[in-house]
Amino acid sequence: MDPVNLKKLAEQLNLSVSTVSKAFRNSYDISEDTKSRILALARELNYQPNPLASSLRTQKSKTIAVIIPEIANNFFTQAINGIESVAQESGYHVLFYITHEDHNKEVSFTRLLQSGRVDGVLISLSNGAGNFDHLDQLREKGLPMVFFDRIYESSSTTRITTNDFESGYLATHHLIEQGCKRIAHIYFSGRLSISNKRKDGYLKALADHGMEVDEKLIVSCGQDRTENFRNVKQLIEQEKPDGLFSSFEKLVILAYEVCAELNIVIPDQLKLIGFSNLETAALLNPSLTTITQPAFEIGWKAASVLFKALEKNSANIPDEHIVIDSVLIKRKSTEKGEY
Amino acid sequence: MDPVNLKKLAEQLNLSVSTVSKAFRNSYDISEDTKSRILALARELNYQPNPLASSLRTQKSKTIAVIIPEIANNFFTQAINGIESVAQESGYHVLFYITHEDHNKEVSFTRLLQSGRVDGVLISLSNGAGNFDHLDQLREKGLPMVFFDRIYESSSTTRITTNDFESGYLATHHLIEQGCKRIAHIYFSGRLSISNKRKDGYLKALADHGMEVDEKLIVSCGQDRTENFRNVKQLIEQEKPDGLFSSFEKLVILAYEVCAELNIVIPDQLKLIGFSNLETAALLNPSLTTITQPAFEIGWKAASVLFKALEKNSANIPDEHIVIDSVLIKRKSTEKGEY
DNA sequence: TTGTAAGCGTTATCAT
DNA sequence: ATGATAACGCTTACAA
């Protein structure tokens, strides 16, 4: 219960604090003999250095922050696994902050990180207001940051995403191949670059196949689940699309639920494809055709880029956009019927 | 870029560091006038106190650690949401450590927490060796801990779980009600108390209904997915149970996959029920009857108990076992056929 | 009401 | 090879 620190070790060994301290870092500059005596006592007393004191002195906390919009989301949990695997290997500690898509929370979290608590930040933006002052401010304080998935496009640091535009294109193209003529799209409105890119891919695919864009087939969703349900239901009921591309997993699930309520048979009446990292995609009724993001790799890469900069002691992270491709996994929800 | 700290504020205002420091805490003991001057400059220079220095001085980090076995797991992500909601409200920071069911990692993580990094720990055990020395050691260092879900039963602090025994009983009882005669059980082997309790519930239900226990119907699983698959496949193929109760979500999913491979029709040939917090349980083919844990509440409660103790500055957490009941949600996977 | 100074536990510089 | 000392940025008696 009473603390064991350098001072106590030093007293018990009749050494100075600085000598003891060195034993834990400088292998040279200290005799093998005293060093082993020190380490022995440290083990015996179960000495653990105080990271706060050490961080204060060295100005490195060996800690990073991860800011994400939500956690009950397969993309993010897999990305976290990627981040965490690098962090564990590099001996870093990880603080998590969940914004719940609330821009104000994002702002106040970043404020809390401005003074020494962490050495760097990995962040995936909330779908809130398009104001990035808080992020610029963090950069000004010299805190290295890496964006992943929901990136701040005009930041001058590394940004990591999947090939959102191409994936949106491919998803739509797949529906066209499967014979769809009226292809709807649902997405999350807001400032998210990925949302817009995926939609652009959808639009381009339609254009490339000489299909007209019908604005009524494009439904933007928000944070209110009930409202989203109503809107998607209305879309399917009234516009009777024969294909639907959703750019977010939450919305694909919603579409399944709407179809169940409306007794719409997938894929016969409506073919469904969506971005998703659901592990049970193959077990759904019917199994779901997905655009699956390399979530683990994205998290892994983001953390790797950050740690590489931290090891070099440089807050200078390359100003580049790294893209890791998604894969389209075909399943029953987009199968051609034999009707 | 250059740091703004108390000293700099003090210099610019021709005040002493201590006066400035007080302005941020002691509203009294300092004139309204100077206080507002200080706060104004602080805002202007975007001053953020250095938490390391402050924590070092006050011996409170306003940070807790959460140690869990895995993150890509609906129970844990929902529990995290519960934890995080309390933490945010109380202004605490949260460090996450994922053990990946590796006892050695659990040991080394706890070691890292022994000296001031955190004020308290929330932990759900890995399914490793049954050695709890590292946990006892943490307690000896005076670090408040709360266990949730996968608890250390004989620890003398608060432990929070669902009603595992009763839920195992109910699940089995439900299968019996639905007409099952040969009820199998799959679970994770190891030291986890919850795994054993759920199994005990299964055994008791069989006994209460005068059904014999057939050891061949009870299959224990480990960390190797391929091996688990093989064992569960063998169970279903050779023992031909007509009901199956799985005490973990991962294993229910596995059972679905096995049935798909064997062309076993659920629920006609085999009725399936399992512990699960899957959000898509209702969308599976067929929809899955679940025992669903109050994951958010469990996380919320665990964090609340811990913070209450921390606010009182007492490492004394009640030695009690709090139980929050699960619910049995009936769906198609256990429906009686009309055959 | 404001200031002085010690100290939290460590690290780093400079003597010895 | 070892030790004295200052410093990291903040809080808190205590003094003025």
Side-chain angles (χ1 to χ4, degrees):
Chain A
M1 183 67 232
D2 67 327
V4 30
N5 50 28
L6 288 183
K7 197 167 153 199
K8 172 174 285 177
L9 290 182
E11 275 166 9
Q12 297 213 13
L13 293 163
N14 272 314
L15 288 170
S16 78
V17 172
S18 64
T19 305
V20 178
S21 172
K22 279 173 196 155
F24 295 108
R25 234 154 317 87
N26 277 332
S27 358
Y28 58 99
D29 210 48
I30 199 169
S31 83
E32 272 308 320
D33 183 50
T34 48
K35 184 177 167 187
S36 60
R37 278 175 59 222
I38 293 171
L39 295 183
L41 184 65
R43 201 166 7 254
E44 186 190 327
L45 299 188
N46 187 24
Y47 166 70
Q48 290 300 134
N50 183 316
L52 297 155
S54 155
S55 297
L56 179 60
R57 183 60 236 253
T58 60
Q59 307 283 31
K60 333 215 112 307
S61 61
K62 271 282 184 181
T63 304
I64 63 165
V66 174
I67 305 179
I68 53 175
E70 54 172 346
I71 183 104
N73 171 312
N74 298 292
F75 171 80
F76 286 112
T77 56
Q78 291 167 26
I80 287 173
N81 265 333
I83 291 169
E84 200 261 354
S85 79
V86 191
Q88 244 178 55
E89 206 176 324
S90 320
Y92 273 80
H93 299 252
V94 187
L95 283 166
F96 279 93
Y97 298 92
I98 307 175
T99 61
H100 301 284
E101 305 285 10
D102 180 343
H103 181 258
N104 292 327
K105 283 189 179 163
E106 192 175 291
V107 172
S108 61
F109 288 147
T110 52
R111 216 188 291 292
L112 290 170
L113 300 177
Q114 288 187 69
S115 255
R117 191 185 296 275
V118 298
D119 297 339
V121 180
L122 296 179
I123 179 168
S124 198
L125 299 180
S126 73
N127 186 11
N131 181 307
F132 304 115
D133 294 351
H134 58 301
L135 304 173
D136 294 332
Q137 221 165 50
L138 261 193
R139 284 290 283 167
E140 279 160 29
K141 289 264 185 178
L143 206 57
M145 313 179 67
V146 171
F147 292 88
F148 68 102
D149 196 50
R150 296 149 159 244
I151 62 175
Y152 171 20
E153 287 196 286
S154 50
S155 75
S156 57
T157 181
T158 299
R159 296 146 343 255
I160 303 177
T161 66
T162 191
N163 55 342
D164 292 294
F165 175 84
E166 291 81 359
S167 296
Y169 187 98
L170 268 177
T172 312
H173 177 79
H174 175 61
L175 289 175
I176 294 171
E177 271 186 340
Q178 298 305 97
C180 296
K181 304 293 184 203
R182 279 178 67 70
I183 301 179
H185 177 50
I186 55 183
Y187 67 106
F188 275 122
S189 64
R191 308 285 183 144
L192 293 185
S193 57
I194 56 170
S195 196
N196 294 322
K197 294 228 166 146
R198 293 168 188 179
K199 186 172 149 208
D200 289 345
Y202 158 81
L203 295 173
K204 182 69 160 45
L206 291 187
D208 282 1
H209 290 80
M211 296 171 72
E212 267 182 33
V213 173
D214 182 346
E215 286 295 339
K216 294 197 298 302
L217 288 176
I218 303 179
V219 169
S220 99
C221 295
Q223 285 311 115
D224 181 341
R225 200 188 168 288
T226 317
E227 199 176 319
N228 293 342
F229 191 93
R230 196 174 51 238
N231 290 336
V232 172
K233 183 173 168 186
Q234 184 177 324
L235 164 71
I236 294 178
E237 213 169 10
Q238 302 190 355
E239 300 299 328
K240 303 205 190 309
D242 56 4
L244 174 58
F245 161 49
S246 157
S247 57
F248 289 90
E249 180 174 292
K250 276 213 161 52
L251 299 177
V252 201
I253 307 289
L254 194 80
Y256 264 77
E257 291 166 348
V258 168
C259 288
E261 179 162 321
L262 294 175
N263 286 314
I264 299 271
V265 179
I266 307 171
D268 299 2
Q269 295 170 268
L270 176 69
K271 300 196 200 313
L272 215 53
I273 185 172
F275 269 80
S276 169
N277 285 66
L278 246 195
E279 292 185 8
T280 53
L283 301 179
L284 295 190
N285 185 17
S287 62
L288 172 66
T289 297
T290 59
I291 300 283
T292 298
Q293 297 187 76
F296 182 94
E297 289 76 11
I298 288 176
W300 188 92
K301 186 67 184 174
S304 299
V305 168
L306 179 62
F307 290 135
K308 188 180 292 174
L310 294 182
E311 296 311 315
K312 289 195 307 186
N313 242 321
S314 108
N316 259 351
I317 298 196
D319 177 357
E320 73 181 307
H321 185 176
I322 297 176
V323 174
I324 310 181
D325 290 355
S326 287
V327 295
L328 169 54
I329 303 172
K330 295 175 188 172
R331 297 201 185 87
K332 295 225 170 101
S333 71
T334 55
E335 259 180 23
K336 262 185 185 148
E338 53 284 350
Y339 42 94
Chain B
M1 182 67 230
D2 68 327
V4 29
N5 49 29
L6 287 184
K7 197 167 154 199
K8 171 174 285 178
L9 289 182
E11 276 167 9
Q12 296 213 14
L13 293 163
N14 272 315
L15 289 169
S16 78
V17 172
S18 69
T19 306
V20 178
S21 171
K22 280 171 195 157
F24 294 108
R25 235 156 313 89
N26 277 331
S27 4
Y28 58 96
D29 211 46
I30 200 170
S31 84
E32 271 308 319
D33 183 48
T34 50
K35 183 178 168 188
S36 59
R37 278 175 58 222
I38 293 171
L39 295 183
L41 184 65
R43 201 166 9 253
E44 186 190 327
L45 299 188
N46 187 25
Y47 167 71
Q48 289 301 133
N50 183 317
L52 297 159
S54 143
S55 297
L56 178 60
R57 180 61 234 255
T58 60
Q59 306 282 34
K60 332 216 113 309
S61 62
K62 271 284 185 179
T63 303
I64 63 164
V66 174
I67 304 180
I68 53 174
E70 54 173 346
I71 183 102
N73 172 311
N74 297 293
F75 171 80
F76 286 111
T77 56
Q78 289 168 27
I80 287 173
N81 265 332
I83 292 168
E84 199 262 353
S85 79
V86 191
Q88 246 180 53
E89 206 176 324
S90 320
Y92 274 81
H93 298 252
V94 187
L95 283 166
F96 279 92
Y97 298 91
I98 308 174
T99 62
H100 301 284
E101 305 284 9
D102 180 343
H103 181 258
N104 292 328
K105 283 189 179 165
E106 191 174 292
V107 172
S108 60
F109 287 147
T110 52
R111 216 188 291 291
L112 290 170
L113 300 177
Q114 288 187 71
S115 255
R117 192 186 294 276
V118 298
D119 297 339
V121 180
L122 297 178
I123 178 169
S124 198
L125 299 180
S126 72
N127 186 11
N131 181 307
F132 303 116
D133 293 351
H134 58 302
L135 303 173
D136 294 332
Q137 221 166 48
L138 261 193
R139 284 291 283 167
E140 278 161 28
K141 290 264 183 176
L143 206 56
M145 314 179 66
V146 172
F147 291 87
F148 67 101
D149 195 52
R150 294 147 159 247
I151 61 174
Y152 172 20
E153 287 195 286
S154 50
S155 75
S156 58
T157 180
T158 299
R159 304 159 320 269
I160 303 176
T161 66
T162 192
N163 54 343
D164 292 294
F165 175 84
E166 291 81 358
S167 296
Y169 187 98
L170 268 178
T172 312
H173 177 79
H174 175 62
L175 289 174
I176 295 170
E177 271 186 339
Q178 298 305 98
C180 295
K181 303 294 183 202
R182 278 178 67 69
I183 301 179
H185 176 50
I186 55 183
Y187 67 105
F188 275 122
S189 64
R191 308 285 185 144
L192 293 185
S193 57
I194 56 171
S195 196
N196 294 323
K197 294 229 165 144
R198 292 168 189 180
K199 184 171 150 206
D200 289 346
Y202 158 82
L203 295 172
K204 183 69 160 46
L206 291 186
D208 281 2
H209 290 82
M211 296 170 71
E212 268 183 31
V213 173
D214 181 346
E215 286 294 341
K216 292 197 299 302
L217 287 177
I218 303 179
V219 169
S220 98
C221 295
Q223 284 312 115
D224 182 342
R225 201 188 168 287
T226 316
E227 199 177 320
N228 293 342
F229 191 92
R230 194 172 52 238
N231 291 336
V232 172
K233 184 174 168 184
Q234 183 177 325
L235 164 70
I236 294 178
E237 213 169 8
Q238 302 189 356
E239 301 299 329
K240 303 204 188 311
D242 57 4
L244 173 58
F245 161 48
S246 157
S247 57
F248 289 89
E249 181 175 290
K250 274 212 163 49
L251 299 177
V252 200
I253 307 289
L254 195 79
Y256 263 78
E257 291 166 348
V258 168
C259 288
E261 179 161 320
L262 294 175
N263 286 315
I264 299 270
V265 179
I266 308 169
D268 297 2
Q269 295 170 269
L270 177 68
K271 301 196 199 313
L272 215 53
I273 185 172
F275 271 78
S276 169
N277 284 67
L278 247 194
E279 291 186 9
T280 53
L283 301 179
L284 294 189
N285 184 19
S287 62
L288 172 67
T289 296
T290 59
I291 301 283
T292 297
Q293 296 188 76
F296 182 94
E297 290 75 12
I298 288 176
W300 187 91
K301 187 68 184 172
S304 299
V305 168
L306 179 61
F307 290 135
K308 189 181 290 174
L310 294 183
E311 297 310 316
K312 288 194 309 187
N313 241 321
S314 108
N316 260 350
I317 298 197
D319 178 357
E320 73 181 306
H321 185 176
I322 297 175
V323 174
I324 310 181
D325 290 354
S326 288
V327 295
L328 170 54
I329 303 173
K330 296 175 189 170
R331 297 203 185 85
K332 294 224 169 99
S333 70
T334 55
E335 257 179 23
K336 261 185 185 148
E338 54 283 353
Y339 43 93

